Amino acid sequence: MANIQSIMASEQQVAALMSVIQRAVDEISAVEERLEQYDHALVAVRQSLKEMGREKSKMEVTQRNHHELLQTLDSMLPDLSTRDRQVLSDPDLTTTVGLREACQAAQSLLRLSSTSVDGNLQQMAAVAEQKKLFEKLKARFSQAVYRQMNNFFVHMGNDGAPPVDSLQLPSHSSQHLKLQPYSELMHWTKAVDNRQVVR
């Protein structure tokens, strides 16, 4: 009888132990399942982080390229100042100050319009627009210079004409002094004309 009770108590203990072990196994399975879910989530997060890193790198490259492009365009397409544009559009070639401003603006225009532009960038609208503007300013300023010089020569011819009964020509040095202020404009006009012929 004592043996039977002992066996029965043992079986109950074994059953209780088995129940505890089963609960532990179930808990471990649940924990493993959860860990697997976390692992999948971490894999997705890692992939997302890698993708974000690649996107960030692409954005940095794009931003750097845009910055370099703007710097390149600025260096290749430096713009004339508003004052230079005004002077070239409507120059005053009759005063010393106006003549000096006109010469400075004309030299700036010549320098900027002769800046070489990479062949691939020639197709850009900004480059074409800038080139068109420079050509327009050159043409307008050239017309003003030609008109002024024509008027100047006519005026100089009339003022410097010797009397009808005189056989003496006006002094060459006095004529030269009158023309001297326009020498820089004449060089500019010649440079522009040569470039247009070369093109």
Side-chain angles (χ1 to χ4, degrees), residues 21-37:
I21 289 171
Q22 186 59 48
R23 280 200 306 272
V25 167
D26 291 343
E27 291 258 345
I28 289 170
S29 295
V31 168
E32 282 180 348
E33 187 177 334
R34 202 159 230 190
L35 286 172
E36 197 172 329
Q37 289 172 352

Side-chain angles (χ1 to χ4, degrees), residues 136-148:
K136 185 177 175 183
L137 286 171
K138 272 195 271 190
R140 192 162 185 172
F141 185 68
S142 292
Q143 286 175 355
V145 170
Y146 290 137
R147 190 168 48 250
Q148 171 63 21

Side-chain angles (χ1 to χ4, degrees), residues 35-48:
L35 286 172
E36 197 172 329
Q37 289 172 352
Y38 288 149
D39 192 47
H40 286 310
L42 284 172
V43 167
V45 168
R46 273 196 296 270
Q47 287 175 341
S48 295

Side-chain angles (χ1 to χ4, degrees), residues 181-199:
Y182 296 98
S183 62
E184 193 175 338
L185 285 182
M186 292 298 93
H187 288 299
W188 181 88
T189 305
K190 184 178 178 185
V192 169
D193 285 345
N194 285 344
R195 286 194 180 156
Q196 286 172 347
V197 168
V198 168
R199 287 178 192 165

Side-chain angles (χ1 to χ4, degrees), residues 80-81 83-89 91 93 97-114 134 137-142 144-145 182-192 195:
L80 283 168
S81 68
R83 180 61 186 152
D84 281 347
R85 288 185 191 206
Q86 289 171 346
V87 169
L88 292 166
S89 295
L93 303 175
V97 173
L99 201 53
R100 185 172 58 248
E101 282 187 340
C103 288
Q104 288 170 352
Q107 289 305 327
S108 294
L109 175 61
L110 191 61
R111 186 181 67 255
L112 296 177
S113 62
S114 64
F134 287 166
L137 286 171
K138 272 195 271 190
R140 192 162 185 172
F141 185 68
S142 292
V145 170
Y182 296 98
S183 62
E184 193 175 338
L185 285 182
M186 292 298 93
H187 288 299
W188 181 88
T189 305
K190 184 178 178 185
V192 169
R195 286 194 180 156

Side-chain angles (χ1 to χ4, degrees), residues 24 55 80 114-115 120 124:
E55 287 300 316
L80 283 168
S114 64
T115 304
N120 296 328
M124 292 184 70

Side-chain angles (χ1 to χ4, degrees), residues 1-180:
M1 183 79 164
N3 281 344
I4 292 173
Q5 284 178 347
S6 175
I7 290 170
M8 295 229 359
S10 248
E11 282 182 10
Q12 286 173 351
Q13 286 176 351
V14 168
L17 181 61
M18 290 299 287
S19 176
V20 169
I21 289 171
Q22 186 59 48
R23 280 200 306 272
V25 167
D26 291 343
E27 291 258 345
I28 289 170
S29 295
V31 168
E32 282 180 348
E33 187 177 334
R34 202 159 230 190
L35 286 172
E36 197 172 329
Q37 289 172 352
Y38 288 149
D39 192 47
H40 286 310
L42 284 172
V43 167
V45 168
R46 273 196 296 270
Q47 287 175 341
S48 295
L49 286 173
K50 279 183 185 175
E51 190 62 34
M52 285 169 63
R54 282 195 291 269
E55 287 300 316
K56 183 183 176 198
S57 178
K58 283 182 194 173
M59 285 171 61
E60 285 172 354
V61 169
T62 302
Q63 189 176 11
R64 190 166 58 249
N65 288 344
H66 283 169
H67 182 68
E68 287 176 7
L69 177 61
L70 286 174
Q71 281 186 325
T72 303
L73 285 174
D74 283 345
S75 68
M76 288 187 314
L77 295 174
D79 207 357
L80 283 168
S81 68
T82 305
R83 180 61 186 152
D84 281 347
R85 288 185 191 206
Q86 289 171 346
V87 169
L88 292 166
S89 295
D90 188 22
D92 174 15
L93 303 175
T94 60
T95 66
T96 305
V97 173
L99 201 53
R100 185 172 58 248
E101 282 187 340
C103 288
Q104 288 170 352
Q107 289 305 327
S108 294
L109 175 61
L110 191 61
R111 186 181 67 255
L112 296 177
S113 62
S114 64
T115 304
S116 61
V117 178
D118 183 83
N120 296 328
L121 298 175
Q122 292 277 3
Q123 308 303 318
M124 292 184 70
V127 175
E129 197 62 35
Q130 191 77 309
K131 189 175 177 183
K132 196 172 170 184
L133 171 68
F134 287 166
E135 292 303 320
K136 185 177 175 183
L137 286 171
K138 272 195 271 190
R140 192 162 185 172
F141 185 68
S142 292
Q143 286 175 355
V145 170
Y146 290 137
R147 190 168 48 250
Q148 171 63 21
M149 293 314 296
N150 185 54
N151 291 342
F152 183 80
F153 285 127
V154 168
H155 180 70
M156 204 165 83
N158 291 339
D159 284 356
V164 178
D165 58 349
S166 172
L167 296 175
Q168 187 178 11
L169 291 173
S171 162
H172 178 72
S173 59
S174 67
Q175 303 293 0
H176 181 75
L177 283 173
K178 289 178 185 175
L179 286 169
Q180 188 65 38

